[in-house]
Amino acid sequence: MAFPQTRMRRLRATAGLRGLVRETDLRASQLVLPMFVAESLDAAAEREPISTMPGVARLSLGATVAEAHEAAALGLAGVMLFGVPTVKDEEGSGAWDEEGIVQLAIRAIKQAVPELIVITDVCLCEYTDHGHCGVLDVQASPPRVENDATLALLSRTACSHARAGADMVAPSDMMDGRVGAIREELDGEGFSDTPILAYSAKFASAFYGPFREAAGSAPAFGDRRGYQMDPANGQEAVREALLDVGEGADMVMVKPALAYGDLIRAVKQATSLPVAAYNVSGEYAMVKAAAAAGYIDERAAVLEILTSLRRAGADTIVSYHAKDAATWLADQT
Ligand code: PBG
């Protein structure tokens, strides 16, 4: 028999054949767009560019609604909201303020574009004056984020989002027991149908740098390694996800995404839940910088990255590339 008998190239010969055997699809309806809503911006259409994230801006309420319309028109699944408040305090009380910037944004979006899914990030770091994701035990030296005291504040925050009309709440703080605490509070307040997307495997990553500039949420001292995960640990990521499932998480997330494809797969296999991957700010910034320098083809690189996250096992991808990707996917057909 002539060698080679098996020719893998047979099924790669034409676009039609490649399409026939393609294992993974990427659709706009799998993508979620993160948005930064800034309390300090009040002009109707005001946008304040974020220098480390070209193409992304902090938005006024009016601009947020415009962006939500755009996201819906492009067929995106939804948006993920982050608040940038004008006032911060020790506890992060702006996070659960019924008239806080995120709560206002949720109401405005749900009124204008009801079909668009609004997911809210539930965390305190954008609202605390020290930039940590929970309340501090200042007696400890160095001060330590208190786990159990933080749970009540996160639960209050999640309920205020649900009350404003959020379709889903996504705790990103990495306190132990927060999914269970939030579930209990939501149920008690009449929001038993509000799903929780848990940032289950969230790593202490260098790739959040641009986000912290955008949201003004860099820790004032120390780092987040006392609560976010060690990038060296994979089995622990699966354990984190399983714990969140046990506490009632409806979806789980792996974050960042690009260097964590193994864990997207492992978490998907272990939980059988819908899994989200968060393609974070630093991952976005790298692509934008390389594309601006002419080193890579942005469109091809972005679609390849997003497809690879789907292949790894992500059902949903949170990405700052979402609008561009949806535009490109639409004109591919
Ligand atoms: C809040 C939060 C962060 C991100 C999402 N939620 C920052 C952090 O943990 O420091 C990062 C998202 C990104 O980099 O795009 N805790």
Side-chain angles (χ1 to χ4, degrees):
M1 202 172 304
F3 179 84
Q5 184 193 31
T6 300
R7 292 183 182 272
M8 298 303 285
R9 293 182 53 189
R10 283 182 200 125
L11 294 176
R12 293 176 198 152
T14 64
L17 287 167
R18 291 191 292 273
L20 183 74
V21 298
R22 185 159 299 129
E23 299 174 30
T24 308
D25 69 339
L26 178 65
R27 287 178 277 117
S29 61
Q30 294 152 344
L31 305 176
V32 171
L33 176 71
M35 300 203 299
F36 299 98
V37 194
E39 200 168 13
S40 63
L41 305 178
D42 41 24
E46 204 173 346
R47 303 169 64 90
E48 187 173 71
I50 298 160
S51 63
T52 51
M53 300 175 75
V56 181
R58 280 178 287 261
L59 307 170
S60 67
L61 270 181
T64 299
V65 170
E67 184 106 340
H69 274 296
E70 209 185 319
L74 285 165
L76 298 181
V79 294
M80 166 89 93
L81 294 184
F82 295 94
V84 187
T86 45
V87 181
K88 303 181 188 235
D89 61 24
E90 215 177 308
E91 279 197 308
S93 63
W96 58 84
D97 181 351
E98 299 294 340
E99 298 302 316
I101 187 63
V102 163
Q103 289 78 359
L104 296 178
I106 299 166
R107 287 190 212 114
I109 295 173
K110 289 314 292 185
Q111 194 181 353
V113 203
E115 72 278 14
L116 187 72
I117 294 173
V118 174
I119 307 172
T120 57
D121 183 88
V122 176
C123 196
L124 302 180
C125 62
E126 295 125 60
Y127 303 89
T128 52
D129 51 18
H130 45 75
H132 279 286
C133 301
V135 261
L136 293 183
D137 172 4
V138 286
Q139 307 302 334
S141 162
R144 200 178 131 73
V145 174
E146 273 197 84
N147 193 89
D148 301 8
T150 301
L151 299 182
L153 307 185
L154 293 167
S155 304
R156 262 170 97 169
T157 303
C159 277
S160 79
H161 293 171
R163 206 168 291 120
D167 295 294
M168 192 180 292
V169 293
S172 70
D173 52 284
M174 290 303 278
M175 297 303 120
D176 288 317
R178 91 271 210 217
V179 172
I182 290 172
R183 184 72 274 157
E184 197 179 319
E185 183 101 350
L186 284 172
D187 290 355
E189 295 286 312
F191 299 109
S192 52
D193 285 334
T194 302
I196 299 176
L197 162 57
Y199 283 73
S200 298
K202 177 173 176 181
F203 290 85
S205 171
F207 293 103
Y208 307 151
F211 173 96
R212 292 179 187 169
E213 187 223 308
S217 67
F221 63 89
D223 55 43
R224 303 207 203 288
R225 287 182 292 180
Y227 39 103
Q228 297 181 348
M229 284 189 59
D230 181 342
N233 295 357
Q235 299 207 280
E236 187 187 338
V238 171
R239 250 186 108 198
E240 280 279 12
L242 290 173
L243 280 168
D244 288 349
V245 174
E247 291 177 29
D250 300 280
M251 290 181 68
V252 288
M253 190 195 285
V254 175
K255 173 186 173 191
L258 299 194
Y260 297 85
D262 55 333
L263 302 182
I264 296 172
R265 169 50 51 95
V267 165
K268 179 73 192 171
Q269 276 174 344
T271 64
S272 299
L273 252 60
V275 172
Y278 198 140
N279 177 212
V280 301
S281 57
E283 298 173 330
Y284 173 84
M286 286 196 299
V287 170
K288 295 299 279 190
Y295 298 161
I296 58 169
D297 172 344
E298 181 176 352
R299 173 187 168 135
V302 167
L303 293 177
E304 182 176 332
I305 282 171
L306 298 176
T307 301
S308 78
L309 298 178
R310 290 272 304 136
R311 191 194 65 230
D315 299 284
T316 302
I317 301 167
V318 183
S319 177
Y320 304 92
H321 297 292
K323 283 196 299 174
D324 287 338
T327 307
W328 294 324
L329 289 168
D331 56 56
Q332 255 179 359
T333 48

